[in-house]
Amino acid sequence: MSQAVETAENQGEVQTELKRVMGPKLLLLFIVGDILGTGVYALTGDVAAEVGGAAWAPFLVAFAIAMVTAFSYLELVTKYPQAAGAALYTHKAFGIHFLTFMVCFTVMCSGITSASTASRAFASNMAKGFGWDADNSNLVVMIALGFMLLVALVNFRGVGESVKANIVLTCVELSGLLLVIMVGFYALFAGKTDFSRTMVFDSPSDKSAFLAVTAATSLAFFAMVGFEDSVNMAEETKDPVRNFPKMMITGIGMTGVIYILVALFAVAIVPVGELGDTDTPLVKVVERAAPDVPIKTLLPFISMFAVANSALINMLMSSRLLYGMARQEVLPPVLGWVHKGRQTPWVAIIFTTLIAFGLIIVVTKNSGDVISALGGTTALLLLGVFTIVNIAVLVLRKDTINRRHFTTPTILPIIGALTCAFFVTPLTGRDTIQYEIAGGLLAIGVVLWALTWTANRFFFAKRTYLRDPEQYLGGDKTTN
């Protein structure tokens, strides 16, 4: 072994085909960019509607859960620096192929629900930005479907993601939230805020304060997801054992502070009733606080840009995961077909886009708040995955490696597993439509698995199992 390789291993690095180009600053921007997105732009009003003026409390609880779970991801990513994320950790911990498949399919479904949430938010902000009737559900649905079609076309053409592009998008997303915070301080000094509202717990359905906070946290957690995606950059990060813990904790901390400030100012400036009745809550905040300031016309378009980025990344991830599972022969092979000219998984792209279409249309007809239903479902799906990841950390403690890696205090994954599992249950007061959406999506996965298992056994005389999770189950790119 050369001296260079020995030095790398002493730093906690392993040899990789990818070039380690990401230092601490780039990694921090990548993590912050992954967390920022549709959640805070679209769901602040829905959170306030659930819990009243204390909208900051659910974001604080969601921040705490995300931070605890991040410690589990930090141990696993520095121990197994591959790009398959939760599916790989589940496979190494339990070795149950169907469980690994379900975790992978759940992550894929969360990408579709997240993109569908983003499409609705995009449509609402577009209508607001151009002065159209944002309360016209048919118009908003048509814009959302048209936007998803555009995302599918871009996805089909092929998109090469880069760290530089992520930096630009992160700056745009961050600028919108900083504008809201600046307007909030302006309103504070102009005497246009009422912070007494921020201490009022008020549930429209007469829930207790505990149930109101837990129900709202079920929504607010959607704004915190995305930190787990950065594990896919482990092979391209310099000294990941040293840099990942510092930058992930810093990134989650920064976004948590921003979200809480936004929630505080939103409720202090706009009455909860008005805030909960709009799909563009931050635009409403700016309009109320600074009606004569021109940035109010800019914010809807910044919001559109932010949520469009989330939708594209999530649909890219979902189609590639579906393609990967088809290549593993645990889903119908047709989903793994690749277009000869564009070299993109065109059948998987069509399939995931049709599911998104169905979600947007069906949920619009059956729910009074589409963004809340779809965003809450995304959080529900990922909280289930995070429960398994927190347990996997403890199980994999028996798998020792001769290389330095991050180790989280044992109590944290225990707390993470219990809290994530709790927030999956109906005890939180979560809207039942979220379970219906999640159950329907996972049922599709089970049916497709069963069909593939039957075909493999009776027509091809072979087993149905994940042959190489590390190769085909990467790309865990769910952002909010």
Side-chain angles (χ1 to χ4, degrees):
M1 183 183 293
S2 68
Q3 184 177 357
V5 174
E6 288 178 354
T7 301
E9 290 191 347
N10 289 336
Q11 292 178 334
E13 293 182 359
V14 295
Q15 286 184 293
T16 173
E17 296 178 359
L18 302 177
K19 184 178 180 181
R20 295 189 182 276
V21 296
M22 294 185 68
K25 294 179 181 179
L26 285 179
L27 181 60
L28 177 62
L29 283 170
F30 186 89
I31 292 170
V32 171
D34 261 0
I35 299 174
L36 294 178
T38 307
V40 70
Y41 278 98
L43 288 178
T44 302
D46 294 304
V47 171
E50 282 285 348
V51 78
W56 53 271
F59 283 105
L60 181 61
V61 176
F63 159 76
I65 297 172
M67 184 66 80
V68 169
T69 302
F71 274 85
S72 293
Y73 270 93
L74 286 173
E75 176 167 336
L76 292 169
V77 70
T78 54
K79 195 173 183 180
Y80 309 107
Q82 288 120 346
L88 176 63
Y89 309 147
T90 302
H91 193 70
K92 284 185 174 294
F94 307 105
I96 303 172
H97 291 277
F98 183 71
L99 178 61
T100 304
F101 163 77
M102 288 304 297
V103 167
C104 193
F105 197 85
T106 300
V107 171
M108 188 213 73
C109 290
S110 72
I112 297 176
T113 54
S114 179
S116 301
T117 309
S119 71
R120 281 284 309 198
F122 178 93
S124 297
N125 278 284
M126 185 175 183
K128 190 75 174 180
F130 285 104
W132 301 335
D133 184 7
D135 295 325
N136 187 331
S137 61
N138 292 329
L139 173 63
V140 173
V141 168
M142 292 305 296
I143 296 174
L145 295 177
F147 171 69
M148 287 305 303
L149 180 60
L150 178 61
V151 168
L153 293 174
V154 174
N155 196 351
F156 171 73
R157 181 175 178 80
V159 177
E161 296 179 63
S162 69
V163 174
K164 291 182 179 179
N166 183 268
I167 292 174
V168 174
L169 296 173
T170 299
C171 291
V172 173
E173 293 169 345
L174 186 58
S175 67
L177 298 177
L178 293 180
L179 279 174
V180 174
I181 294 173
M182 289 173 60
V183 168
F185 279 110
Y186 166 79
L188 173 63
F189 293 119
K192 296 182 178 181
T193 58
D194 182 4
F195 278 96
S196 65
R197 290 199 293 255
T198 64
M199 299 307 295
V200 177
F201 287 87
D202 182 23
S203 173
S205 54
D206 295 325
K207 296 177 182 176
S208 65
F210 176 77
L211 278 181
V213 171
T214 55
T217 301
S218 300
L219 293 176
F221 193 78
F222 176 60
M224 291 304 305
V225 299
F227 66 88
E228 74 281 1
D229 297 333
S230 61
V231 301
N232 295 300
M233 303 305 295
E235 296 179 69
E236 298 170 80
T237 300
K238 299 175 182 177
D239 195 1
V241 173
R242 179 187 297 272
N243 291 329
F244 250 101
K246 293 179 181 179
M247 294 305 104
M248 184 177 284
I249 292 170
T250 301
I252 294 175
M254 287 175 57
T255 53
V257 170
I258 290 172
Y259 287 173
I260 291 171
L261 283 175
V262 168
L264 283 169
F265 279 125
V267 174
I269 293 171
V270 182
V272 172
E274 294 181 35
L275 202 63
D277 287 338
T278 177
D279 286 342
T280 56
L282 301 192
V283 177
K284 175 73 75 174
V285 170
V286 174
E287 287 179 342
R288 178 62 62 87
D292 300 324
V293 179
I295 61 173
K296 68 179 182 179
T297 61
L298 181 62
L299 189 58
F301 298 100
I302 293 177
S303 302
M304 285 169 57
F305 195 79
V307 301
N309 177 44
S310 295
L312 179 58
I313 291 176
N314 277 287
M315 292 306 286
L316 279 166
M317 178 275 292
S318 297
S319 60
R320 270 56 178 184
L321 272 181
L322 197 66
Y323 157 81
M325 287 184 282
R327 290 291 301 271
Q328 291 275 291
E329 298 182 349
V330 297
L331 288 180
V334 65
L335 296 172
W337 288 2
V338 176
H339 191 272
K340 293 182 179 179
R342 302 308 314 174
Q343 293 184 306
T344 50
W346 66 277
V347 178
I349 291 171
I350 292 174
F351 188 81
T352 51
T353 302
L354 289 176
I355 292 178
F357 277 11
L359 282 176
I360 294 169
I361 295 171
V362 173
V363 176
T364 299
K365 291 182 178 180
N366 293 278
S367 175
D369 193 335
V370 180
I371 291 179
S372 175
L374 292 172
T377 302
T378 305
L380 171 63
L381 291 167
L382 287 178
L383 282 165
V385 172
F386 291 165
T387 301
I388 295 175
V389 170
N390 278 303
I391 296 172
V393 173
L394 301 174
V395 174
L396 289 170
R397 287 282 171 85
K398 65 176 184 273
D399 183 17
T400 58
I401 59 174
N402 295 320
R403 177 171 49 79
R404 186 168 61 90
H405 64 83
F406 180 86
T407 302
T408 184
T410 302
I411 189 62
L412 292 184
I414 295 175
I415 293 173
L418 292 175
T419 53
C420 288
F422 170 74
F423 276 98
V424 171
T425 69
L427 297 175
T428 59
R430 183 186 294 275
D431 195 330
T432 55
I433 193 173
Q434 297 171 21
Y435 292 102
E436 294 170 4
I437 297 170
L441 291 172
L442 296 182
I444 293 174
V446 173
V447 170
L448 290 176
W449 168 284
L451 291 174
T452 307
W453 181 89
T454 302
N456 285 344
R457 178 166 184 174
F458 293 102
F459 295 102
F460 305 108
K462 58 184 178 183
R463 295 173 56 204
T464 301
Y465 67 99
L466 294 162
R467 289 159 176 76
D468 189 2
E470 295 181 13
Q471 181 177 355
Y472 284 119
L473 300 187
D476 185 356
K477 279 283 186 187
T478 303
T479 62
N480 59 359

